[in-house]
Amino acid sequence: MSVVDLLKYVRTLPPSERILVVTHVNADPDAVATALVVREVLAALGFNAVACFPGGISRVSRDLLERLGINYESSCECRARYVVVCDASNEAVLGEAAACLAGAAGVMIIDHHEAGSLAGRASVAVIEPGEPAATTLAVELAQAAEVRLSPQLASLALGGILYDTKRFMAASPRTLRAAAWLLESGGQYEQALPKPEEELDYSERVARLKAAQRAVLVDVCGHIVAVSEVTAYEASAARALVSLGADLSLIHISEPTRPY
């Protein structure tokens, strides 16, 4: 399904309906940007949209929001009949927010991972595994709904894209079109730039090291393919393996046994 299908579904919901927008635990800039852009679109359409960041957001995300002067509130109370899941494909990565899906009248998904356990219970699922950043899909939703973003939110969305694409190294045509629209909306590239890799937060550095520790190397026609497994920060882990010398990295997202 496309963001247009999602928009059509949303417009059939009762006016002023409370909608919970959730991400995976320890939300990175891509997850945070996706959720806040989706919340902005829903609010512009007249809904009572609430963001939920289970377990809080990552330090990189906090730094980016502080730099842009964006304040946010997170409430994971299951008092919404409808839930939008952003940048997540499995219930296991939703933490406390997973309980909110049980009694939901409708579940919507905006994600760029391979379809997981959430896809089967979604009323509408916009899942694009080939898209490097989930934020791109949220931006397309804003465009389809004709919702203009503030310069600060446009910069945040640009930061989410830059973070998951490693400054456009993994960009697609859709990525670049979304980025151009964000810049035209007042987004500031310099403010959106993620911090250098050495300033990544503790849990992300652990995920990268675990990915390297667990990596299995496969020779495919002279190309080195690194296959590994993590419970979070899969995009960052994949980039780390490529930076270590792999031509291609494949990361499987496993169910977490405990927080990093």
Side-chain angles (χ1 to χ4, degrees), residues 130-165:
E131 189 53 45
T135 305
T136 297
L137 305 178
V139 170
E140 291 178 348
L141 179 65
Q143 291 174 309
E146 298 183 347
V147 173
R148 300 295 294 182
L149 305 180
S150 68
Q152 291 81 7
L153 193 52
S155 295
L156 175 64
L158 188 59
I161 290 174
L162 287 169
Y163 181 82
D164 254 24
T165 63

Side-chain angles (χ1 to χ4, degrees), residues 173-188:
R174 292 170 68 178
T175 307
L176 299 178
R177 285 194 292 268
W181 185 78
L182 292 169
L183 291 170
E184 291 168 352
S185 299
Q188 298 295 313

